[in-house]
């Protein structure tokens, strides 16, 4: 069988500005994976940074200055005469929309009679727009954080329309905020992860934010659900889905899971969390969306119930964590997961973000027997400390805390 993994990118990417370091080496993992399936041929078609992709058997798509032509992807993939095509969608800032673009490519491939594991553009769009996601949760009866959508153009329209004396839309939004139960979370409904999220604890804080320069696009204002935060992933298609046991996610001082600081610990097995009930509800979610591939889900456990916060129809930091916990080669894990094959029982692991390290420090860290995976992304042209990147370390839960602490300490 001939299998093609693919993923597209919508952004400019300057490879000279980024330094990516991964242990174990993805090329070695790819070679090992291919050796496990000698009767099959595997290929990758992607664009830089080609996240999750090896250099071997990799066809790089160069985007024209005018933007990506999805037909170019379809052409390159079709030339490989695949029996199966699998989307390995990843993420970019400021818009987490690559799953939509991959869905368009997948739709064109299906029109040519090629079997593809990739979400539909309808599902990808619904998950991309968190306001649509919230309405979907409400319509289908899923526990979620209720919210208020604030259309940026309408909220500020009075300033551009000389005949408008009073902005009725703005007053309606403010009236809802006066009656709201605080605290609330204000976020970009089409942004990536929790970047730019703000927690407000009173009407005056909400009013101040909406009327400040920070409010430069439409916003979704959700009720803050007080509880423990978790993440999980769903794999599969056509009603055949695997729901992974959740991992506990750390939060920052504002009670938000920060993508650059979050620590993932698990898998969680404690029966108090009603894990079977969660599994049933997430399978129902997958069936309602007709998911087809990989999806990551953010959850909150509050008042003895599970709340679904958002769905990301792509790979995530959870993916490499689950792969490490399974003990499988990363590509073997991805292949088994999405094609509905059995996965091993997960071992306990910790995924921790630590300060950026030089190459020698990373090599030394990876030599520790309990370290399973390291991924460091360094932006060499970053102007601010928070933009310089991150180092993610996945280790067994028995990893020596003192040793990890030493590596978490920034050198003088």
């Amino acid at each position: 069988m001939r299998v093609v993994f693919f993923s597209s990118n919508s952004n400019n990417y300057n490879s000279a500005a980024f330094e990516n370091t991964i242990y174990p080496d993805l090329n070695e993992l790819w070679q090992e994976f291919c050796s496990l399936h000698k009767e099959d041929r595997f290929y990758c078609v992607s664009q830089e940074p080609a996240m999750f992709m090896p250099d071997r058997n990799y066809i790089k798509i160069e985007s024209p200055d005018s933007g990506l032509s999805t037909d170019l992807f379809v052409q390159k993939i079709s030339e490989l005469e695949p029996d199966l095509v699998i989307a390995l969608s990843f993420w970019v800032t400021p818009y987490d929309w690559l799953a939509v673009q991959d869905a368009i490519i997948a739709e064109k491939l299906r029109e040519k009679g090629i079997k593809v594991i990739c979400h539909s553009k309808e599902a990808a769009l619904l998950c991309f727009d968190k306001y649509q996601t919230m309405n979907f949760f409400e319509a289908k009866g899923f526990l979620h954080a209720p919210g208020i959508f604030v259309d940026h153009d309408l909220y500020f329209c009075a300033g551009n329309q000389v005949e408008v004396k009073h902005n009725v839309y703005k007053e309606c939004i403010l009236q809802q905020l006066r009656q709201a139960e605080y605290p609330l979370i204000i976020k970009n409904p089409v942004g990536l992860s929790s970047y730019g999220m703000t927690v407000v604890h009173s009407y005056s804080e909400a009013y101040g934010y909406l009327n400040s320069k920070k409010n430069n696009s439409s916003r979704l204002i959700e009720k803050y659900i007080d509880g423990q935060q978790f993440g999980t992933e769903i794999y599969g298609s056509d009603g055949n889905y695997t729901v992974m046991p959740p991992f506990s996610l750390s939060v920052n001082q504002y009670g938000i899971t920060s993508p650059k600081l979050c620590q993932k610990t698990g898998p969680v097995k404690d029966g108090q969390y009603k894990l079977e009930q969660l599994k049933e509800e997430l399978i129902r979610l997958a069936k309602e969306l007709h998911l087809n591939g990989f999806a990551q889900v953010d959850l909150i456990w509050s008042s003895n119930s599970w709340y679904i916060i958002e769905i990301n129809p792509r790979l995530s930091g959870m993916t490499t964590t689950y792969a490490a916990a399974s003990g499988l080669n990363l590509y073997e894990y991805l292949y088994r997961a999405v094609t509905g094959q059995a996965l091993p029982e997960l071992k306990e692991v910790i995924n921790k973000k630590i300060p950026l390290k030089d190459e020698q420090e990373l090599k030394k860290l990876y030599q520790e027997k309990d370290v399973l995976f390291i991924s460091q992304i360094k932006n060499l042209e970053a102007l601010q400390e928070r933009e310089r990147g991150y180092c993610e370390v996945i280790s067994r839960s028995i990893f020596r805390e003192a040793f990890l602490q030493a590596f978490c300490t920034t050198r003088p």
Side-chain angles (χ1 to χ4, degrees):
M1 185 163 68
R2 300 168 69 87
V3 181
V4 175
F5 298 103
F6 85 95
S7 59
S8 64
N9 187 7
S10 64
N11 288 16
N12 294 317
Y13 181 77
N14 179 7
S15 58
F18 291 89
E19 186 178 279
N20 299 338
T21 307
I22 296 176
Y23 292 101
D25 182 75
L26 293 184
N27 290 323
E28 293 177 3
L29 291 177
W30 179 260
Q31 187 174 7
E32 178 184 82
F33 166 65
C34 292
S35 70
L36 295 172
H37 302 270
K38 290 185 172 62
E39 69 283 5
D40 301 319
R41 295 294 300 275
F42 295 92
Y43 304 89
C44 300
V45 178
S46 187
Q47 295 173 272
E48 289 187 329
M51 197 178 295
F52 297 95
M53 298 290 194
D55 293 332
R56 299 175 187 271
N57 296 61
Y58 167 45
I59 298 173
K60 182 170 69 175
I61 301 292
E62 299 287 354
S63 298
D65 293 338
S66 58
L68 173 72
S69 167
T70 55
D71 289 334
L72 182 57
F73 256 90
V74 173
Q75 175 192 334
K76 293 296 184 182
I77 293 173
S78 300
E79 288 173 354
L80 295 170
E81 300 181 347
D83 300 292
L84 177 64
V85 177
I86 300 171
L88 298 185
S89 305
F90 57 96
W91 61 91
V92 291
T93 58
Y95 302 117
D96 193 4
W97 58 11
L98 296 187
V100 179
Q101 185 164 263
D102 289 348
I104 295 171
I105 295 168
E107 187 175 87
K108 293 181 177 182
L109 288 169
R110 292 189 185 107
E111 290 173 356
K112 296 171 72 69
I114 298 173
K115 182 179 180 181
V116 187
I117 296 178
C118 180
H119 304 297
S120 69
K121 64 177 183 292
E122 291 78 14
L125 278 169
L126 188 149
C127 296
F128 164 62
D129 184 339
K130 305 311 178 188
Y131 179 52
Q132 285 192 51
T133 310
M134 184 186 73
N135 291 334
F136 166 81
F137 289 155
E138 185 69 27
K140 300 299 181 179
F142 292 101
L143 276 180
H144 67 100
I148 303 167
F149 178 74
V150 182
D151 183 289
H152 184 265
D153 291 339
L154 287 175
Y155 189 83
F156 289 106
C157 70
N160 300 322
Q161 304 293 333
V162 293
E163 59 266 70
V164 174
K165 182 178 181 180
H166 179 68
N167 187 334
V168 175
Y169 179 84
K170 181 176 182 178
E171 181 55 35
C172 180
I173 295 296
L174 295 178
Q175 180 62 18
Q176 293 178 75
L177 291 175
R178 292 187 190 98
Q179 299 170 346
E181 180 182 345
Y182 290 84
L184 299 171
I185 291 181
I186 303 178
K187 64 183 183 182
N188 185 339
V190 295
L192 173 67
S193 193
S194 55
Y195 290 113
M197 274 191 188
T198 299
V199 178
V200 293
H201 296 85
S202 65
Y203 169 77
S204 61
E205 285 187 36
Y207 179 88
Y209 178 92
L210 289 180
N211 291 281
S212 72
K213 292 182 179 179
K214 291 181 180 180
N215 183 18
N216 53 15
S217 66
S218 295
R219 290 291 186 262
L220 184 59
I221 305 178
E222 292 182 339
K223 179 181 178 181
Y224 178 86
I225 305 295
D226 187 17
Q228 297 173 261
Q229 301 202 21
F230 294 85
T232 187
E233 289 194 326
I234 304 172
Y235 313 130
S237 60
D238 301 326
N240 181 24
Y241 297 106
T242 298
V243 174
M244 304 305 293
F247 268 64
S248 174
L249 307 180
S250 65
V251 297
N252 59 21
Q253 69 224 42
Y254 306 107
I256 298 173
T257 297
S258 169
K260 292 186 178 180
L261 299 173
C262 174
Q263 177 174 305
K264 306 174 181 70
T265 308
V268 174
K269 300 179 180 179
D270 193 329
Q272 69 164 311
Y273 292 110
K274 299 181 180 178
L275 297 177
E276 282 302 315
Q277 182 183 47
L278 172 64
K279 180 179 178 180
E280 291 175 4
E281 194 69 343
L282 291 182
I283 288 177
R284 182 170 78 89
L285 173 73
K287 289 180 177 179
E288 290 283 2
L289 282 170
H290 302 287
L291 293 181
N292 190 1
F294 302 92
Q296 187 269 333
V297 184
D298 289 330
L299 305 159
I300 292 181
W301 171 257
S302 177
S303 302
N304 212 33
S305 297
W306 285 103
Y307 288 78
I308 304 176
I309 303 305
E310 63 179 47
I311 317 157
N312 299 302
R314 53 165 170 77
L315 301 178
S316 72
M318 296 294 305
T319 312
T320 50
T321 307
Y322 281 120
S326 75
L328 291 175
N329 174 298
L330 173 62
Y331 298 110
E332 180 69 10
Y333 179 82
L334 294 173
Y335 188 52
R336 287 196 195 184
V338 80
T339 56
Q341 300 179 51
L343 297 171
E345 183 177 353
L346 302 180
K347 305 295 184 182
E348 291 187 5
V349 298
I350 296 173
N351 180 321
K352 188 177 182 68
K353 302 286 176 60
I354 66 174
L356 293 169
K357 302 299 173 186
D358 63 34
E359 186 175 350
Q360 291 304 314
E361 289 176 312
L362 291 176
K363 286 182 178 179
K364 182 180 177 182
L365 179 58
Y366 187 61
Q367 289 171 358
E368 285 294 303
K369 64 182 180 65
D370 291 323
V371 173
L372 303 172
F373 188 86
I374 298 174
S375 176
Q376 177 167 285
I377 299 177
K378 184 185 295 187
N379 184 347
L380 303 176
E381 297 183 354
L383 300 178
Q384 299 181 36
E385 183 65 27
R386 64 185 178 86
E387 297 176 345
R388 289 185 62 226
Y390 63 87
C391 180
E392 182 178 62
V393 180
I394 304 174
S395 65
R396 296 183 181 90
S397 58
I398 58 173
F399 186 56
R400 296 196 303 278
E401 187 63 31
F403 183 83
L404 185 58
Q405 186 62 40
F407 272 95
C408 288
T409 304
T410 304
R411 295 181 305 166

